[in-house]
Amino acid sequence: MRSFRRRLLVATALTATTVLVGATAAVPAASAGSDVNALLAESLRQAIVAQNFEDVLDLTPPESVAAASKAGAPEKHDPLSAEEASAARVDAAAARPLHQTPNMDLAVIEIDRLGRPIAMADVLLSPQYPNGVVVPLNTRKLSTDQVRYRWWDDTEWDVNGGRGTRDVLAGREGAPLDFSSPYPASVLKLMVGFGVLRLTDQGRVNLDAVYDYQPVTPHPVCGAASSKVIRQHFDEMITKSQNESTCALIKMIHDLGAWDEVNATFVELGMPTLMVTGTNPENGGRWIGSNMSSIDTAKLLLLVNGGSGVLWTTDAGRQVTRDELTEASRVQFIKSLGNQGHNEMLSTTNHCGRAYPVQGIPQLTPPRWIQADGTVKVGDAVYDSDVRPCDAVAEVTFSHKTGWVDTTGSDAGIVRSLPGKERRNYIVVAFSNLGTDYVDTYRPADRPGVFPVLYTEKYAKLGAAVDDIMVAITPMSHWTVRQG
């Protein structure tokens, strides 16, 4: 029955593959796109719209003192001062319905058994595109030049109708789509990880060496001085989203004078929206100058996944392959992503069995974090749900990285079907401004002593919908590849 429902879902979408900008103007689909790409894109667009993301409550609406206090903060990960914390204390009575459609950037790349891309789509949602808009993509380059990306700013989003004013990329002024890219939060750690491993492959970093983190100006988010093996820093940054390890690795790259080089590499590899800028070389903090689009993030994961042959070709004609990272580096990256402890956005197995939130992508929980009673503990984060019932019916693995702050909810990873389960292999990336400040109207109270539910459960519903779409579309895309 579930398989039939999935196929019915996509068959319904096939009848409406018009690419819409909001509800009015039309943007032509990329000429290189196939019917499968159009079907995937329209299915994703419908899945996003079906979630009614605008139905959530805003705990710090624009008119509130708390929102005014936090808007434009220099660093989203920074702790508030006592005065700011007092002003920002959430008053549930002050919560208001979200005043406009949120921003979302959702990309999916389907991959075959050899890790090669065979279908792809990118969909944007925003106050300008309340019905979602499919981004025209060049399937050879796995990219688009049809979006004018803007830097995220909380205040601009709140008071300027969701419109940003600062361009991420030069030369996009005439692009038909205009979109403020949500701050990536801890998904930016994928870019830090890539930088560390590129330097490792060049012989400038030894993952098994000890890095002495000595902040010139200590910062609460970054922690005190420490000495750890670099590989441990890397693992903690990805699996536990540990900010202290992230600061250490960012500072290490600064010590090597390599951040400009890392950012230039993203451009050279055809991922120009990926960038880590403005970080503090004295302690590795201040991450607000980071930007990621979902399609470029999906490409980064495609490279890490390590498919055979040419994965994409850049504007300059460079053929990008998995060899941009060595096999050892890719293995390290995939191992850490596969041991993700925070499975609670597009997938929600850490909250297995709860009536809220619903279950998302049906992933197998990494056993590393499972306690003897079946519950999960990730560092100091304690979850009280027994994940074993969900693992017993799991259908996929999900090697991913989540991110959250007050105005960011993000998740990016690689989905692979488990042996004997319905086949699908794909990369999914979701960025949105619906972070911890936005909750469902019916959300139950957090359980005392248990790590809170960080996101609206609409993300989990979207994750499950994406997985259903990929199960349904896989036979069609593979048939198309065979025929081509």
Side-chain angles (χ1 to χ4, degrees):
M1 178 61 71
R2 188 178 186 203
S3 176
F4 173 77
R5 182 174 65 84
R6 285 166 164 161
R7 285 169 174 79
L8 179 62
L9 173 76
V10 178
T12 301
L14 184 58
T15 66
T17 55
T18 302
V19 181
L20 299 177
V21 183
T24 55
V27 175
S31 59
S34 67
D35 289 341
V36 173
N37 291 325
L39 172 57
L40 174 59
E42 176 59 18
S43 300
L44 294 177
R45 188 195 68 79
Q46 291 188 24
I48 290 175
V49 172
Q51 305 314 316
N52 296 314
F53 281 105
E54 67 277 7
D55 286 350
V56 299
L57 291 179
D58 187 349
L59 296 176
T60 56
E63 66 272 16
S64 73
V65 174
S69 167
K70 295 197 297 183
E75 175 51 66
K76 284 182 168 293
H77 298 265
D78 287 357
L80 299 177
S81 67
E83 181 180 354
E84 290 170 324
S86 177
R89 189 171 293 115
V90 171
D91 179 3
R96 296 287 183 272
L98 188 60
H99 65 287
Q100 60 187 0
T101 302
N103 279 36
M104 171 168 280
D105 185 0
L106 174 70
V108 172
I109 298 178
E110 185 183 11
I111 52 180
D112 66 13
R113 286 174 170 168
L114 297 179
R116 300 171 299 191
I118 54 176
M120 62 185 299
D122 186 8
V123 179
L124 306 178
L125 182 76
S126 75
Q128 287 70 53
Y129 316 119
N131 294 316
V133 57
V134 173
V135 176
L137 297 174
N138 183 307
T139 55
R140 185 174 65 89
K141 299 177 181 178
L142 307 188
S143 67
T144 184
D145 59 4
Q146 300 297 296
V147 182
R148 184 178 185 180
Y149 293 105
R150 310 290 193 124
W151 282 96
W152 184 259
D153 183 281
D154 288 346
T155 302
E156 288 183 343
W157 186 83
D158 273 327
V159 305
N160 198 36
R163 293 178 174 88
T165 59
R166 294 187 301 130
D167 287 302
V168 174
L169 302 173
R172 294 285 183 93
E173 293 79 8
L177 303 178
D178 195 320
F179 182 73
S180 292
S181 295
Y183 175 65
S186 286
V187 175
L188 67 86
K189 295 168 185 178
L190 295 179
M191 298 188 289
V192 179
F194 176 82
V196 169
L197 295 177
R198 283 281 289 196
L199 294 170
T200 299
D201 291 345
Q202 294 168 4
R204 297 156 68 183
V205 168
N206 179 354
L207 290 181
D208 295 313
V210 172
Y211 176 65
D212 293 318
Y213 173 66
Q214 300 290 333
V216 178
T217 52
H219 191 283
V221 166
C222 297
S226 65
S227 294
K228 286 185 181 179
V229 173
I230 296 170
R231 194 184 301 273
Q232 181 180 351
H233 277 309
F234 186 98
D235 180 76
E236 291 173 347
M237 175 180 70
I238 300 296
T239 64
K240 297 195 293 182
S241 205
Q242 190 158 306
N243 290 335
E244 294 86 347
S245 289
T246 308
C247 288
L249 294 178
I250 290 174
K251 185 178 185 302
M252 182 187 75
I253 296 175
H254 273 297
D255 293 348
L256 295 170
W259 267 118
D260 286 347
E261 177 185 335
V262 171
N263 285 320
T265 300
F266 290 134
V267 175
E268 292 164 3
L269 295 180
M271 301 177 286
T273 66
L274 304 189
M275 59 187 75
V276 179
T277 64
T279 52
N280 190 338
E282 296 185 348
N283 55 32
R286 197 173 62 221
W287 305 342
I288 197 66
S290 300
N291 186 82
M292 308 177 83
S293 69
S294 65
I295 193 63
D296 282 352
T297 305
K299 289 167 70 174
L300 178 61
L301 289 170
L302 181 66
L303 189 159
V304 170
N305 185 59
S308 64
V310 176
L311 300 176
W312 69 84
T313 302
T314 69
D315 287 338
R318 179 170 178 169
Q319 294 184 325
V320 178
T321 71
R322 63 188 178 192
D323 295 331
E324 300 297 342
L325 288 175
T326 63
E327 182 178 1
S329 286
R330 287 188 285 101
V331 166
Q332 174 63 58
F333 219 147
I334 289 291
K335 178 182 177 181
S336 294
L337 289 169
N339 276 316
Q340 175 59 238
H342 294 287
N343 306 293
E344 52 198 335
M345 187 188 161
L346 293 178
S347 66
T348 48
T349 54
N350 283 21
H351 301 303
C352 177
R354 287 192 181 188
Y356 180 96
V358 298
Q359 290 300 299
I361 294 173
Q363 75 159 104
L364 186 69
T365 312
R368 172 175 171 179
W369 311 108
I370 301 175
Q371 308 301 297
D373 62 355
T375 61
V376 169
K377 186 174 185 294
V378 185
D380 295 330
V382 176
Y383 302 83
D384 65 346
S385 297
D386 185 346
V387 302
R388 291 172 294 187
C390 290
D391 285 348
V393 295
E395 299 184 31
V396 300
T397 60
F398 190 23
S399 304
H400 65 126
K401 181 74 195 77
T402 55
W404 67 88
V405 289
D406 54 350
T407 56
T408 295
S410 54
D411 203 350
I414 305 162
V415 176
R416 299 185 184 89
S417 52
L418 289 168
K421 302 300 181 180
E422 290 185 283
R423 191 170 105 189
R424 71 278 211 184
N425 296 289
Y426 61 94
I427 294 164
V428 58
V429 179
F431 292 119
S432 177
N433 64 303
L434 295 184
T436 56
D437 271 0
Y438 303 90
V439 300
D440 297 309
T441 57
Y442 52 87
R443 171 185 168 135
D446 288 321
R447 302 180 183 183
V450 176
F451 198 68
V453 176
L454 297 170
Y455 310 92
T456 164
E457 73 167 357
K458 292 177 185 291
Y459 288 134
K461 292 179 179 179
L462 179 63
V466 169
D467 194 64
D468 282 349
I469 289 167
M470 298 313 296
V471 168
I473 210 168
T474 291
M476 181 181 299
S477 57
H478 283 259
W479 182 86
T480 301
V481 169
R482 288 196 300 272
Q483 296 303 305

